[in-house]
Amino acid sequence: MGNDTSAGNTPPVFEGDFTLQEPLPEAAIQAVTEVMRSGRLHRYNTAPGKQSQAAQLEARYAQWQKSRYCLACASGGYAMSTALRALGVKPGDTVLTNAFTLAPVPGAIQSVNANAVLVEVTEDLVIDLADLEIKAKQYAGCVLLLSHMRGHLANMHDVMNIANANNLSVVEDCAHTMGATFDNTLSGNFGKVACFSTQTYKHINSGEGGFLTTNDADVAARSVVLSGSYMLYERNGAAPENAVFESIRLETPNCSGRMDNVRAAMLLAQMDQLDENLVRWNERHDAMRGAISVSNRVVLPQPVPGSVRIGSSLQFRMPWLDAAGCQQFVADCLRLGVELKWFGNPTPVAFTSQHSSWEYVDSQTLPNTDRILATLFDVRIPLTFSVSDCRHVGQIIASVAANTHSE
Ligand SMILES: Cc1ncc(COP(=O)(O)O)c(C=O)c1O
């Protein structure tokens, strides 16, 4: 590579903790304490005439998401497997999904004994529409579990056109896109079902938890019964009317995965700050991206026109590095306090994996995805970092990139 403008003095060591989330707001702590004092922790243990925190949360999230129905549940992974079950996916069925995602996605497909068929991704980290079109035709009528991995949204009109032409039911994995939009529509509102996570590193934090949203009454009712409603579905906060449950309630198995009132109480309080926090994430993301972009050795994915992401993490590639160079780069950044994940690592490490390490999925040939992931890096952006912290992290990345070469 030619001269790099970021190859000046090495920035000072960064002291921040990449896994440190903000403490929960005082209102959340108070709300949780009240639930614990009441003893009514189970979502269906309600005092006469009262609505549980889980039900209140469902109503609140449905309203925020602009979705008719919402089920609060145990995790994002649980929401995805429930969506697949509710759509009637059977053992041996094919489920399409993009090859750049995290293990809970193929895991959800495996949990219903379906076969994951992986679709290539582009250099901008979204599903490859040409490969999707080929596989959609080949497996017409199946489910597409589309993972908006790390917040990158494809052109959702194009995705839905391909899906509709081939009779695919689309489930959106929005674990990283709560609040992200395409063409001013919230992610999760394109497909038939959407799944969200409230696990600790997500946009609202209950340690573990998730939501399933949909406008389809049949899917919503099946999901509520699947989650373990013990025939108390009338007490849910954003579920279809009772008549929809008539036959569904007896033919649908109970695969318990409810959310409890403690988690719901802490999430309800966080809903008050969600919009503000989404802005704070993007301020931090933009500062980090700006500092990295001075380097001509780093390739940043370009947002698909019309998409607005929520930058709770940042990805970039260094396509001229070999594996040893990538390892060296990660080690040199860490010496300066910057913790990166490398998607090219053949061994899955801490929240990062690639399709070849999912041994329960049939081995598949994905040359473009493999080439892209080989030099793809990822950095978390917790809200405990200030905007200037994020600029500092970006400067370190650009500076180390300037000094890293292949063997
Ligand atoms: C892309 C993606 N989808 C789904 C999930 C599932 O979330 P959970 O951990 O709540 O099961 C995760 C979790 O990190 C994820 O990264």
Side-chain angles (χ1 to χ4, degrees):
M1 288 301 297
N3 288 340
D4 189 323
T5 49
S6 54
N9 291 340
T10 308
V13 172
F14 179 68
E15 309 275 358
D17 178 344
F18 285 80
T19 58
L20 184 62
Q21 302 303 106
E22 289 193 306
L24 296 197
E26 207 46 47
I29 295 168
Q30 266 174 30
V32 165
T33 310
E34 270 169 40
V35 172
M36 291 195 295
R37 288 220 167 91
S38 77
R40 296 186 188 273
L41 273 59
H42 190 279
R43 66 163 299 162
Y44 293 117
N45 179 351
T46 45
K50 296 270 186 210
Q51 205 184 26
S52 72
Q53 285 75 12
Q56 291 173 48
L57 177 65
E58 287 165 342
R60 179 87 189 265
Y61 194 75
Q63 188 189 34
W64 186 85
Q65 175 62 30
K66 302 183 175 69
S67 169
R68 200 167 302 144
Y69 307 114
C70 173
L71 170 71
C73 61
S75 70
Y78 180 83
M80 289 189 288
S81 58
T82 302
L84 297 178
R85 283 197 176 89
L87 287 169
V89 175
K90 300 274 178 308
D93 284 357
T94 292
V95 174
L96 299 178
T97 192
N98 38 311
F100 172 49
T101 185
L102 231 61
V105 177
I109 297 170
Q110 184 62 29
S111 77
V112 294
N113 291 312
N115 299 324
V117 169
L118 306 175
V119 181
E120 294 262 36
V121 293
T122 70
E123 294 186 350
D124 294 323
L125 305 180
V126 297
I127 196 161
D128 180 329
L129 296 173
D131 197 36
L132 175 62
E133 193 149 26
I134 293 168
K135 289 170 179 163
K137 285 203 171 91
Q138 196 176 348
Y139 299 103
C142 77
V143 170
L144 165 64
L145 175 49
L146 176 64
S147 182
H148 303 307
M149 176 66 169
R150 291 297 191 261
H152 302 277
L153 284 174
N155 183 318
M156 290 306 296
H157 297 325
D158 290 347
V159 168
M160 292 312 299
N161 284 341
I162 294 172
N164 293 336
N166 295 284
N167 199 21
L168 305 185
S169 298
V170 177
V171 177
E172 293 180 66
D173 166 20
C174 301
H176 301 170
T177 55
M178 189 180 278
T181 56
F182 180 78
D183 196 10
N184 297 315
T185 296
L186 280 168
S187 78
N189 291 351
F190 291 92
K192 197 162 200 175
V193 194
C195 303
F196 298 83
S197 168
T198 63
Q199 177 245 68
T200 252
Y201 297 114
K202 304 303 191 302
H203 302 105
I204 46 177
N205 172 12
S206 56
E208 303 288 353
F211 297 116
L212 181 153
T213 62
T214 181
N215 288 335
D216 184 302
D218 182 86
V219 168
R222 283 181 201 283
S223 302
V224 168
V225 177
L226 280 163
S227 75
S229 60
Y230 300 131
M231 301 298 159
L232 294 168
Y233 43 80
E234 250 183 300
R235 298 188 193 172
N236 277 58
E241 57 189 337
N242 281 353
V244 183
F245 286 86
E246 256 333 291
S247 59
I248 286 172
R249 67 195 206 129
L250 300 179
E251 69 192 32
T252 308
N254 178 325
C255 306
S256 290
R258 295 167 301 273
M259 179 176 283
D260 58 85
N261 284 334
V262 173
R263 287 182 188 148
M266 65 183 87
L267 290 170
L268 257 178
Q270 289 173 65
M271 286 303 296
D272 293 339
Q273 297 181 333
L274 179 55
D275 289 323
E276 189 188 326
N277 282 345
L278 299 181
V279 172
R280 292 172 68 215
W281 258 300
N282 281 350
E283 284 166 358
R284 283 154 182 75
H285 175 271
D286 292 352
M288 196 181 288
R289 188 180 165 102
I292 295 176
S293 65
V294 303
S295 171
N296 61 8
R297 295 178 56 79
V298 174
V299 178
L300 290 156
Q302 296 305 312
V304 168
S307 68
V308 177
R309 69 174 300 205
I310 302 301
S312 52
S313 68
L314 183 144
Q315 294 68 45
F316 59 91
R317 290 185 303 124
M318 307 237 315
W320 33 84
L321 287 186
D322 59 15
C326 287
Q327 259 157 349
Q328 187 62 49
F329 177 67
V330 171
D332 290 347
C333 283
L334 193 57
R335 250 190 295 285
L336 289 170
V338 172
E339 201 180 305
L340 296 178
K341 293 180 193 310
W342 171 40
F343 277 98
N345 199 329
T347 315
V349 187
F351 286 101
T352 315
S353 64
Q354 45 171 267
H355 67 92
S356 57
S357 59
W358 308 329
E359 289 183 6
Y360 44 88
V361 171
D362 288 344
S363 154
Q364 298 174 42
T365 308
L366 297 150
N368 291 339
T369 302
D370 290 346
R371 173 181 55 79
I372 291 159
L373 297 197
T375 63
L376 178 67
F377 301 92
D378 176 47
V379 56
R380 280 189 200 283
I381 309 182
L383 286 182
T384 47
F385 290 2
S386 65
V387 172
S388 79
D389 285 341
C390 292
R391 205 168 293 120
H392 182 181
V393 170
Q395 284 160 352
I396 290 175
I397 290 170
S399 159
V400 176
N403 295 306
T404 307
H405 306 280
S406 283
E407 300 276 289

